[in-house]
Amino acid sequence: MVCALAAAVCFGTATVLQAIAARAAAATGPGGDVALLWRALRQWRYLAGLALDGLGFVFQVLALRSVPIYAVGAALAASLAVTAVVAARLLKVRLSRVEWAAVGVVCAGLALLGLASGAEGDESGPGWLRWALLGAVAGVLLLGAAAGRLPERGRALALGLGSGLGFGVVEVAVRLVDGLTPVALLTDPAVYALLLGGGAAFLLLTSALQRGSVTTATAGLVLGETVAPALIGVVWLGDRTRPGLGWLAIAGFAVAVAGALALSRFGEAPVEERAGTAGPP
């Protein structure tokens, strides 16, 4: 659980550092996406953010190999709370009382999950599950293609949900990877599902943040990357809670996800102009 929380801190902090670097790159002159990205890569904050993303992924993998998927998914959704707090500090983004309360709600939900979570399930799941993950990746890509024909709000929700499902594939695939030898990695469908699911998720998330409402897209992302993987972990991978604390785990999961949804506007790196749009205090 410590690794899951460390991953959330890394991802949430990386978002803000990359926001600062991207804003500085945009201020140095005009240019297209490639030019802006090149200037951002010359900013130490952007590189630090990328390093934190990499470190966060390592923590995520360690967490997924140690605790139930439902606990890790809720903790990763909590990275929005980290982004909100760090943005309030470094970017001077003004948080409303409701948003500060949401940060507290996320922390409370994670505390309940930490108390109730059992050990990682020791079941490998049915043999078809690995191939089903590859099918899920294809479904994610089809969902992304179909989302382009929807109106803005529906498009953002569909793309965000598809991105969340892609990240959910990554969470489940990490648990299904058995051997680390070259032959085992090359012949394991879960490895390909992990790589393709992550790539599809980043592609759809980028499109969602560029072409629709950040809040709506992030809400879909949070739901997609938490609910379905948690159910798979419980039903097929043997994830359980501590004896008699199943109700507490369900409550903690629901509370943490609800708090993350309340902070969904922080799914995209916040900018300074948003400081006055946080709502009434």
Side-chain angles (χ1 to χ4, degrees), residues 181-280:
T181 64
V183 174
L185 291 175
L186 289 174
T187 58
D188 191 346
V191 174
Y192 296 98
L194 188 157
L195 298 175
L196 295 174
F202 277 114
L203 178 65
L204 266 62
L205 180 59
T206 301
S207 179
L209 296 179
Q210 290 177 344
R211 301 170 58 189
S213 165
V214 171
T215 300
T216 302
T218 305
L221 168 69
V222 170
L223 292 175
E225 73 175 348
T226 55
V227 178
L231 290 175
I232 292 173
V234 171
V235 175
W236 286 302
L237 301 182
D239 288 346
R240 295 293 182 266
T241 64
R242 294 182 182 180
L245 294 182
W247 64 272
L248 189 63
I250 294 174
F253 180 85
V255 167
V257 171
L261 289 174
L263 295 167
S264 56
R265 78 180 178 100
F266 292 96
E268 183 184 36
V271 295
E272 190 174 16
E273 287 75 13
R274 288 186 190 164
T277 61

Side-chain angles (χ1 to χ4, degrees), residues 38 58 74 116 130 151 165 177 259 263:
W38 174 248
V58 172
R130 289 171 167 79
L165 293 174
V177 173
L263 295 167

